[in-house]
Amino acid sequence: MIINLNLKIMNNLIKITIIAFSLFTAISSNAQNHKHEHGFKMPALNPKSPLAELSGNHVGIRVPDYAAAIKWYTEKLDFRIIHEWDYADEKLAYLAPPNTNEFWIEILAGGKLSEPIIYDDLGKSLEKAGFHHICMDVTNVDKTVAELKKRGVTIIGETFYLPAIGRKLAFFQDPWGNMIELSELVKK
C-alpha cells in the first residue's frame, strides 16, 4: 500500500514537472519572440545599483470618461483590459496592447480635469513642458497608420524618418489629448 501511494505521488510529481517545464518553455519562447529591438549599442547593465530593480511597467493616462476611454483603446488599438478598480471619485483600469504583456497603460477616469490640448501639428506639441507621448514599437509604421486611419484615428502630420535614431515615426492622439508615437526600427 505504501509502495502504491509512493508511486502515485511520484507519478503526480512527474506530471507536475512536465506541465511546469512546458509552461516555462512556452513563456520563455513568448518572451524571446517579443524582445524589444532597440537598434542601439546598449551600455552595460548595472545589477549592483541600489536601484537595479527599477523596470518599466505602465503609463497613466487621465481621461474624463471611463467608458469612452475603454471603448476607444479597446476598439481603436485592440488593447486588452487587465484589471479594473475604483479609487475615490475615479474609475481605473490597466490595459495592455493586443500581443504583449510587457507594457501597460493605466486609465484614470473621472475627477476634475482641465481641457485637453489637441494638436494638428507635431511641432506645436513640442512647445509644452512635461509629459509628451507614449511610444509603441511596430514592425511597419505605414501598415499600422493605414489600419488606424481605417478605424477613424487622426494621424498628426506625416509619417517621417528620423536618421539620428534610425526610426520611421508617426504620431496620433487619443480623444483626450494623450499623444502616442509609433516607431519602426529601420535597418540600413
PDB file of all heavy atoms in Angstrom, residues 114-147:
ATOM      1  N   SER A 114      -8.679  69.499 -16.567  1.00  0.00           N
ATOM      2  CA  SER A 114      -8.671  70.661 -17.449  1.00  0.00           C
ATOM      3  C   SER A 114      -8.945  70.172 -18.869  1.00  0.00           C
ATOM      4  O   SER A 114      -8.911  68.979 -19.148  1.00  0.00           O
ATOM      5  CB  SER A 114      -7.321  71.378 -17.371  1.00  0.00           C
ATOM      6  OG  SER A 114      -6.286  70.507 -17.746  1.00  0.00           O
ATOM      7  N   GLU A 115      -9.193  71.096 -19.782  1.00  0.00           N
ATOM      8  CA  GLU A 115      -9.451  70.737 -21.183  1.00  0.00           C
ATOM      9  C   GLU A 115      -8.179  70.206 -21.829  1.00  0.00           C
ATOM     10  O   GLU A 115      -7.086  70.728 -21.607  1.00  0.00           O
ATOM     11  CB  GLU A 115      -9.948  71.960 -21.969  1.00  0.00           C
ATOM     12  CG  GLU A 115     -11.349  72.398 -21.597  1.00  0.00           C
ATOM     13  CD  GLU A 115     -12.390  71.319 -21.919  1.00  0.00           C
ATOM     14  OE1 GLU A 115     -12.319  70.739 -23.024  1.00  0.00           O
ATOM     15  OE2 GLU A 115     -13.232  71.051 -21.051  1.00  0.00           O
ATOM     16  N   PRO A 116      -8.280  69.169 -22.665  1.00  0.00           N
ATOM     17  CA  PRO A 116      -7.088  68.634 -23.335  1.00  0.00           C
ATOM     18  C   PRO A 116      -6.605  69.577 -24.435  1.00  0.00           C
ATOM     19  O   PRO A 116      -7.369  70.388 -24.951  1.00  0.00           O
ATOM     20  CB  PRO A 116      -7.584  67.320 -23.944  1.00  0.00           C
ATOM     21  CG  PRO A 116      -9.042  67.547 -24.176  1.00  0.00           C
ATOM     22  CD  PRO A 116      -9.493  68.435 -23.036  1.00  0.00           C
ATOM     23  N   ILE A 117      -5.330  69.447 -24.755  1.00  0.00           N
ATOM     24  CA  ILE A 117      -4.763  70.179 -25.886  1.00  0.00           C
ATOM     25  C   ILE A 117      -4.726  69.211 -27.054  1.00  0.00           C
ATOM     26  O   ILE A 117      -4.056  68.178 -26.989  1.00  0.00           O
ATOM     27  CB  ILE A 117      -3.351  70.701 -25.573  1.00  0.00           C
ATOM     28  CG1 ILE A 117      -3.387  71.619 -24.346  1.00  0.00           C
ATOM     29  CG2 ILE A 117      -2.761  71.408 -26.783  1.00  0.00           C
ATOM     30  CD1 ILE A 117      -2.010  72.001 -23.830  1.00  0.00           C
ATOM     31  N   ILE A 118      -5.462  69.515 -28.118  1.00  0.00           N
ATOM     32  CA  ILE A 118      -5.491  68.665 -29.311  1.00  0.00           C
ATOM     33  C   ILE A 118      -4.616  69.331 -30.370  1.00  0.00           C
ATOM     34  O   ILE A 118      -4.816  70.487 -30.712  1.00  0.00           O
ATOM     35  CB  ILE A 118      -6.938  68.473 -29.826  1.00  0.00           C
ATOM     36  CG1 ILE A 118      -7.850  67.937 -28.719  1.00  0.00           C
ATOM     37  CG2 ILE A 118      -6.949  67.574 -31.053  1.00  0.00           C
ATOM     38  CD1 ILE A 118      -7.479  66.565 -28.188  1.00  0.00           C
ATOM     39  N   TYR A 119      -3.636  68.591 -30.875  1.00  0.00           N
ATOM     40  CA  TYR A 119      -2.685  69.136 -31.841  1.00  0.00           C
ATOM     41  C   TYR A 119      -3.006  68.666 -33.254  1.00  0.00           C
ATOM     42  O   TYR A 119      -3.449  67.547 -33.460  1.00  0.00           O
ATOM     43  CB  TYR A 119      -1.260  68.692 -31.490  1.00  0.00           C
ATOM     44  CG  TYR A 119      -0.774  69.233 -30.167  1.00  0.00           C
ATOM     45  CD1 TYR A 119      -0.749  68.432 -29.037  1.00  0.00           C
ATOM     46  CD2 TYR A 119      -0.354  70.550 -30.050  1.00  0.00           C
ATOM     47  CE1 TYR A 119      -0.304  68.927 -27.824  1.00  0.00           C
ATOM     48  CE2 TYR A 119       0.080  71.056 -28.845  1.00  0.00           C
ATOM     49  CZ  TYR A 119       0.111  70.239 -27.730  1.00  0.00           C
ATOM     50  OH  TYR A 119       0.545  70.737 -26.530  1.00  0.00           O
ATOM     51  N   ASP A 120      -2.723  69.544 -34.216  1.00  0.00           N
ATOM     52  CA  ASP A 120      -2.768  69.138 -35.617  1.00  0.00           C
ATOM     53  C   ASP A 120      -1.370  69.286 -36.228  1.00  0.00           C
ATOM     54  O   ASP A 120      -1.168  69.043 -37.398  1.00  0.00           O
ATOM     55  CB  ASP A 120      -3.812  69.930 -36.404  1.00  0.00           C
ATOM     56  CG  ASP A 120      -3.557  71.429 -36.399  1.00  0.00           C
ATOM     57  OD1 ASP A 120      -2.544  71.872 -35.806  1.00  0.00           O
ATOM     58  OD2 ASP A 120      -4.371  72.161 -36.966  1.00  0.00           O
ATOM     59  N   ASP A 121      -0.405  69.694 -35.379  1.00  0.00           N
ATOM     60  CA  ASP A 121       0.959  69.914 -35.819  1.00  0.00           C
ATOM     61  C   ASP A 121       1.904  69.381 -34.740  1.00  0.00           C
ATOM     62  O   ASP A 121       1.823  69.811 -33.587  1.00  0.00           O
ATOM     63  CB  ASP A 121       1.179  71.414 -36.039  1.00  0.00           C
ATOM     64  CG  ASP A 121       2.595  71.736 -36.444  1.00  0.00           C
ATOM     65  OD1 ASP A 121       3.448  71.912 -35.539  1.00  0.00           O
ATOM     66  OD2 ASP A 121       2.859  71.801 -37.657  1.00  0.00           O
ATOM     67  N   LEU A 122       2.774  68.447 -35.102  1.00  0.00           N
ATOM     68  CA  LEU A 122       3.688  67.853 -34.136  1.00  0.00           C
ATOM     69  C   LEU A 122       4.620  68.897 -33.528  1.00  0.00           C
ATOM     70  O   LEU A 122       4.896  68.878 -32.332  1.00  0.00           O
ATOM     71  CB  LEU A 122       4.504  66.734 -34.798  1.00  0.00           C
ATOM     72  CG  LEU A 122       5.440  65.964 -33.880  1.00  0.00           C
ATOM     73  CD1 LEU A 122       4.678  65.304 -32.739  1.00  0.00           C
ATOM     74  CD2 LEU A 122       6.223  64.939 -34.679  1.00  0.00           C
ATOM     75  N   GLY A 123       5.094  69.833 -34.339  1.00  0.00           N
ATOM     76  CA  GLY A 123       5.991  70.881 -33.851  1.00  0.00           C
ATOM     77  C   GLY A 123       5.365  71.689 -32.717  1.00  0.00           C
ATOM     78  O   GLY A 123       6.025  72.001 -31.724  1.00  0.00           O
ATOM     79  N   LYS A 124       4.091  72.009 -32.822  1.00  0.00           N
ATOM     80  CA  LYS A 124       3.390  72.763 -31.764  1.00  0.00           C
ATOM     81  C   LYS A 124       3.339  71.961 -30.466  1.00  0.00           C
ATOM     82  O   LYS A 124       3.400  72.519 -29.376  1.00  0.00           O
ATOM     83  CB  LYS A 124       1.972  73.135 -32.200  1.00  0.00           C
ATOM     84  CG  LYS A 124       1.921  74.189 -33.276  1.00  0.00           C
ATOM     85  CD  LYS A 124       2.227  75.534 -32.658  1.00  0.00           C
ATOM     86  CE  LYS A 124       2.096  76.605 -33.732  1.00  0.00           C
ATOM     87  NZ  LYS A 124       2.755  77.837 -33.320  1.00  0.00           N
ATOM     88  N   SER A 125       3.226  70.638 -30.575  1.00  0.00           N
ATOM     89  CA  SER A 125       3.141  69.805 -29.376  1.00  0.00           C
ATOM     90  C   SER A 125       4.436  69.849 -28.570  1.00  0.00           C
ATOM     91  O   SER A 125       4.430  69.608 -27.370  1.00  0.00           O
ATOM     92  CB  SER A 125       2.807  68.363 -29.745  1.00  0.00           C
ATOM     93  OG  SER A 125       3.930  67.704 -30.304  1.00  0.00           O
ATOM     94  N   LEU A 126       5.549  70.175 -29.225  1.00  0.00           N
ATOM     95  CA  LEU A 126       6.844  70.217 -28.540  1.00  0.00           C
ATOM     96  C   LEU A 126       7.035  71.480 -27.709  1.00  0.00           C
ATOM     97  O   LEU A 126       8.025  71.613 -26.997  1.00  0.00           O
ATOM     98  CB  LEU A 126       7.969  70.066 -29.568  1.00  0.00           C
ATOM     99  CG  LEU A 126       7.966  68.740 -30.340  1.00  0.00           C
ATOM    100  CD1 LEU A 126       9.016  68.767 -31.441  1.00  0.00           C
ATOM    101  CD2 LEU A 126       8.162  67.564 -29.410  1.00  0.00           C
ATOM    102  N   GLU A 127       6.089  72.413 -27.784  1.00  0.00           N
ATOM    103  CA  GLU A 127       6.181  73.662 -27.019  1.00  0.00           C
ATOM    104  C   GLU A 127       5.683  73.510 -25.583  1.00  0.00           C
ATOM    105  O   GLU A 127       5.855  74.409 -24.775  1.00  0.00           O
ATOM    106  CB  GLU A 127       5.394  74.763 -27.734  1.00  0.00           C
ATOM    107  CG  GLU A 127       5.974  75.107 -29.096  1.00  0.00           C
ATOM    108  CD  GLU A 127       5.100  76.059 -29.891  1.00  0.00           C
ATOM    109  OE1 GLU A 127       4.042  76.499 -29.391  1.00  0.00           O
ATOM    110  OE2 GLU A 127       5.483  76.366 -31.036  1.00  0.00           O
ATOM    111  N   LYS A 128       5.063  72.378 -25.256  1.00  0.00           N
ATOM    112  CA  LYS A 128       4.505  72.166 -23.919  1.00  0.00           C
ATOM    113  C   LYS A 128       5.505  71.365 -23.084  1.00  0.00           C
ATOM    114  O   LYS A 128       5.995  70.323 -23.507  1.00  0.00           O
ATOM    115  CB  LYS A 128       3.176  71.404 -24.026  1.00  0.00           C
ATOM    116  CG  LYS A 128       2.500  71.162 -22.705  1.00  0.00           C
ATOM    117  CD  LYS A 128       1.164  70.442 -22.912  1.00  0.00           C
ATOM    118  CE  LYS A 128       0.490  70.182 -21.594  1.00  0.00           C
ATOM    119  NZ  LYS A 128       0.813  68.903 -21.019  1.00  0.00           N
ATOM    120  N   ALA A 129       5.806  71.863 -21.885  1.00  0.00           N
ATOM    121  CA  ALA A 129       6.719  71.151 -20.986  1.00  0.00           C
ATOM    122  C   ALA A 129       6.015  69.946 -20.358  1.00  0.00           C
ATOM    123  O   ALA A 129       4.795  69.884 -20.303  1.00  0.00           O
ATOM    124  CB  ALA A 129       7.190  72.102 -19.886  1.00  0.00           C
ATOM    125  N   GLY A 130       6.808  68.987 -19.897  1.00  0.00           N
ATOM    126  CA  GLY A 130       6.262  67.832 -19.198  1.00  0.00           C
ATOM    127  C   GLY A 130       6.042  66.648 -20.113  1.00  0.00           C
ATOM    128  O   GLY A 130       6.631  66.547 -21.191  1.00  0.00           O
ATOM    129  N   PHE A 131       5.165  65.754 -19.676  1.00  0.00           N
ATOM    130  CA  PHE A 131       4.878  64.539 -20.440  1.00  0.00           C
ATOM    131  C   PHE A 131       4.505  64.892 -21.874  1.00  0.00           C
ATOM    132  O   PHE A 131       3.736  65.811 -22.114  1.00  0.00           O
ATOM    133  CB  PHE A 131       3.725  63.774 -19.773  1.00  0.00           C
ATOM    134  CG  PHE A 131       3.176  62.657 -20.612  1.00  0.00           C
ATOM    135  CD1 PHE A 131       3.828  61.437 -20.655  1.00  0.00           C
ATOM    136  CD2 PHE A 131       2.035  62.826 -21.364  1.00  0.00           C
ATOM    137  CE1 PHE A 131       3.340  60.406 -21.433  1.00  0.00           C
ATOM    138  CE2 PHE A 131       1.530  61.801 -22.148  1.00  0.00           C
ATOM    139  CZ  PHE A 131       2.196  60.589 -22.179  1.00  0.00           C
ATOM    140  N   HIS A 132       5.044  64.156 -22.829  1.00  0.00           N
ATOM    141  CA  HIS A 132       4.734  64.418 -24.230  1.00  0.00           C
ATOM    142  C   HIS A 132       4.026  63.248 -24.903  1.00  0.00           C
ATOM    143  O   HIS A 132       3.004  63.435 -25.529  1.00  0.00           O
ATOM    144  CB  HIS A 132       6.000  64.771 -25.016  1.00  0.00           C
ATOM    145  CG  HIS A 132       5.722  65.199 -26.416  1.00  0.00           C
ATOM    146  ND1 HIS A 132       5.805  64.332 -27.496  1.00  0.00           N
ATOM    147  CD2 HIS A 132       5.342  66.385 -26.921  1.00  0.00           C
ATOM    148  CE1 HIS A 132       5.488  64.975 -28.596  1.00  0.00           C
ATOM    149  NE2 HIS A 132       5.208  66.233 -28.280  1.00  0.00           N
ATOM    150  N   HIS A 133       4.564  62.038 -24.801  1.00  0.00           N
ATOM    151  CA  HIS A 133       3.956  60.922 -25.530  1.00  0.00           C
ATOM    152  C   HIS A 133       4.353  59.568 -24.965  1.00  0.00           C
ATOM    153  O   HIS A 133       5.315  59.446 -24.223  1.00  0.00           O
ATOM    154  CB  HIS A 133       4.331  60.978 -27.015  1.00  0.00           C
ATOM    155  CG  HIS A 133       5.788  60.750 -27.287  1.00  0.00           C
ATOM    156  ND1 HIS A 133       6.702  61.784 -27.307  1.00  0.00           N
ATOM    157  CD2 HIS A 133       6.496  59.623 -27.533  1.00  0.00           C
ATOM    158  CE1 HIS A 133       7.905  61.297 -27.571  1.00  0.00           C
ATOM    159  NE2 HIS A 133       7.808  59.983 -27.708  1.00  0.00           N
ATOM    160  N   ILE A 134       3.606  58.572 -25.375  1.00  0.00           N
ATOM    161  CA  ILE A 134       3.921  57.160 -25.176  1.00  0.00           C
ATOM    162  C   ILE A 134       4.433  56.673 -26.528  1.00  0.00           C
ATOM    163  O   ILE A 134       3.882  57.060 -27.555  1.00  0.00           O
ATOM    164  CB  ILE A 134       2.654  56.348 -24.847  1.00  0.00           C
ATOM    165  CG1 ILE A 134       1.965  56.864 -23.611  1.00  0.00           C
ATOM    166  CG2 ILE A 134       2.975  54.868 -24.725  1.00  0.00           C
ATOM    167  CD1 ILE A 134       0.555  56.300 -23.470  1.00  0.00           C
ATOM    168  N   CYS A 135       5.424  55.806 -26.538  1.00  0.00           N
ATOM    169  CA  CYS A 135       5.908  55.250 -27.804  1.00  0.00           C
ATOM    170  C   CYS A 135       5.605  53.761 -27.860  1.00  0.00           C
ATOM    171  O   CYS A 135       5.867  53.028 -26.908  1.00  0.00           O
ATOM    172  CB  CYS A 135       7.410  55.483 -27.939  1.00  0.00           C
ATOM    173  SG  CYS A 135       8.060  54.883 -29.508  1.00  0.00           S
ATOM    174  N   MET A 136       5.050  53.338 -28.983  1.00  0.00           N
ATOM    175  CA  MET A 136       4.744  51.926 -29.210  1.00  0.00           C
ATOM    176  C   MET A 136       5.553  51.452 -30.414  1.00  0.00           C
ATOM    177  O   MET A 136       5.491  52.067 -31.479  1.00  0.00           O
ATOM    178  CB  MET A 136       3.252  51.736 -29.497  1.00  0.00           C
ATOM    179  CG  MET A 136       2.298  52.328 -28.461  1.00  0.00           C
ATOM    180  SD  MET A 136       2.373  51.558 -26.845  1.00  0.00           S
ATOM    181  CE  MET A 136       1.782  49.926 -27.211  1.00  0.00           C
ATOM    182  N   ASP A 137       6.324  50.379 -30.242  1.00  0.00           N
ATOM    183  CA  ASP A 137       7.073  49.793 -31.347  1.00  0.00           C
ATOM    184  C   ASP A 137       6.127  49.071 -32.294  1.00  0.00           C
ATOM    185  O   ASP A 137       5.183  48.408 -31.856  1.00  0.00           O
ATOM    186  CB  ASP A 137       8.099  48.778 -30.839  1.00  0.00           C
ATOM    187  CG  ASP A 137       9.276  49.427 -30.156  1.00  0.00           C
ATOM    188  OD1 ASP A 137       9.619  50.567 -30.492  1.00  0.00           O
ATOM    189  OD2 ASP A 137       9.877  48.765 -29.284  1.00  0.00           O
ATOM    190  N   VAL A 138       6.396  49.194 -33.586  1.00  0.00           N
ATOM    191  CA  VAL A 138       5.674  48.444 -34.615  1.00  0.00           C
ATOM    192  C   VAL A 138       6.701  47.980 -35.639  1.00  0.00           C
ATOM    193  O   VAL A 138       7.772  48.562 -35.759  1.00  0.00           O
ATOM    194  CB  VAL A 138       4.563  49.288 -35.297  1.00  0.00           C
ATOM    195  CG1 VAL A 138       3.483  49.675 -34.299  1.00  0.00           C
ATOM    196  CG2 VAL A 138       5.125  50.525 -35.968  1.00  0.00           C
ATOM    197  N   THR A 139       6.363  46.951 -36.388  1.00  0.00           N
ATOM    198  CA  THR A 139       7.291  46.487 -37.428  1.00  0.00           C
ATOM    199  C   THR A 139       7.093  47.233 -38.736  1.00  0.00           C
ATOM    200  O   THR A 139       7.990  47.251 -39.569  1.00  0.00           O
ATOM    201  CB  THR A 139       7.140  44.967 -37.674  1.00  0.00           C
ATOM    202  OG1 THR A 139       5.787  44.698 -37.995  1.00  0.00           O
ATOM    203  CG2 THR A 139       7.555  44.170 -36.448  1.00  0.00           C
ATOM    204  N   ASN A 140       5.923  47.867 -38.921  1.00  0.00           N
ATOM    205  CA  ASN A 140       5.646  48.583 -40.157  1.00  0.00           C
ATOM    206  C   ASN A 140       4.729  49.773 -39.857  1.00  0.00           C
ATOM    207  O   ASN A 140       3.518  49.608 -39.696  1.00  0.00           O
ATOM    208  CB  ASN A 140       4.993  47.636 -41.165  1.00  0.00           C
ATOM    209  CG  ASN A 140       4.833  48.255 -42.527  1.00  0.00           C
ATOM    210  OD1 ASN A 140       4.448  49.422 -42.663  1.00  0.00           O
ATOM    211  ND2 ASN A 140       5.095  47.482 -43.557  1.00  0.00           N
ATOM    212  N   VAL A 141       5.325  50.964 -39.761  1.00  0.00           N
ATOM    213  CA  VAL A 141       4.556  52.165 -39.433  1.00  0.00           C
ATOM    214  C   VAL A 141       3.470  52.424 -40.469  1.00  0.00           C
ATOM    215  O   VAL A 141       2.326  52.716 -40.117  1.00  0.00           O
ATOM    216  CB  VAL A 141       5.476  53.403 -39.281  1.00  0.00           C
ATOM    217  CG1 VAL A 141       4.680  54.692 -39.314  1.00  0.00           C
ATOM    218  CG2 VAL A 141       6.255  53.330 -37.979  1.00  0.00           C
ATOM    219  N   ASP A 142       3.798  52.319 -41.756  1.00  0.00           N
ATOM    220  CA  ASP A 142       2.819  52.629 -42.801  1.00  0.00           C
ATOM    221  C   ASP A 142       1.590  51.721 -42.709  1.00  0.00           C
ATOM    222  O   ASP A 142       0.455  52.183 -42.823  1.00  0.00           O
ATOM    223  CB  ASP A 142       3.453  52.522 -44.194  1.00  0.00           C
ATOM    224  CG  ASP A 142       4.520  53.587 -44.423  1.00  0.00           C
ATOM    225  OD1 ASP A 142       4.394  54.692 -43.848  1.00  0.00           O
ATOM    226  OD2 ASP A 142       5.475  53.316 -45.169  1.00  0.00           O
ATOM    227  N   LYS A 143       1.827  50.447 -42.489  1.00  0.00           N
ATOM    228  CA  LYS A 143       0.725  49.489 -42.361  1.00  0.00           C
ATOM    229  C   LYS A 143      -0.137  49.817 -41.126  1.00  0.00           C
ATOM    230  O   LYS A 143      -1.361  49.796 -41.197  1.00  0.00           O
ATOM    231  CB  LYS A 143       1.299  48.070 -42.255  1.00  0.00           C
ATOM    232  CG  LYS A 143       0.273  46.977 -42.138  1.00  0.00           C
ATOM    233  CD  LYS A 143       0.975  45.614 -42.063  1.00  0.00           C
ATOM    234  CE  LYS A 143       0.026  44.544 -41.607  1.00  0.00           C
ATOM    235  NZ  LYS A 143       0.707  43.281 -41.346  1.00  0.00           N
ATOM    236  N   THR A 144       0.520  50.142 -40.015  1.00  0.00           N
ATOM    237  CA  THR A 144      -0.206  50.473 -38.783  1.00  0.00           C
ATOM    238  C   THR A 144      -0.998  51.764 -38.946  1.00  0.00           C
ATOM    239  O   THR A 144      -2.159  51.844 -38.541  1.00  0.00           O
ATOM    240  CB  THR A 144       0.768  50.574 -37.593  1.00  0.00           C
ATOM    241  OG1 THR A 144       1.519  49.347 -37.512  1.00  0.00           O
ATOM    242  CG2 THR A 144       0.029  50.809 -36.292  1.00  0.00           C
ATOM    243  N   VAL A 145      -0.381  52.769 -39.554  1.00  0.00           N
ATOM    244  CA  VAL A 145      -1.075  54.041 -39.795  1.00  0.00           C
ATOM    245  C   VAL A 145      -2.292  53.816 -40.694  1.00  0.00           C
ATOM    246  O   VAL A 145      -3.371  54.357 -40.426  1.00  0.00           O
ATOM    247  CB  VAL A 145      -0.114  55.090 -40.407  1.00  0.00           C
ATOM    248  CG1 VAL A 145      -0.867  56.267 -41.011  1.00  0.00           C
ATOM    249  CG2 VAL A 145       0.869  55.575 -39.341  1.00  0.00           C
ATOM    250  N   ALA A 146      -2.151  53.017 -41.731  1.00  0.00           N
ATOM    251  CA  ALA A 146      -3.280  52.733 -42.627  1.00  0.00           C
ATOM    252  C   ALA A 146      -4.427  52.089 -41.854  1.00  0.00           C
ATOM    253  O   ALA A 146      -5.600  52.455 -42.040  1.00  0.00           O
ATOM    254  CB  ALA A 146      -2.833  51.836 -43.782  1.00  0.00           C
ATOM    255  N   GLU A 147      -4.113  51.150 -40.976  1.00  0.00           N
ATOM    256  CA  GLU A 147      -5.149  50.491 -40.174  1.00  0.00           C
ATOM    257  C   GLU A 147      -5.809  51.480 -39.214  1.00  0.00           C
ATOM    258  O   GLU A 147      -7.037  51.489 -39.055  1.00  0.00           O
ATOM    259  CB  GLU A 147      -4.573  49.301 -39.400  1.00  0.00           C
ATOM    260  CG  GLU A 147      -5.580  48.569 -38.543  1.00  0.00           C
ATOM    261  CD  GLU A 147      -6.738  47.945 -39.314  1.00  0.00           C
ATOM    262  OE1 GLU A 147      -6.563  47.579 -40.493  1.00  0.00           O
ATOM    263  OE2 GLU A 147      -7.837  47.817 -38.722  1.00  0.00           O
TER     264      GLU A 147
END
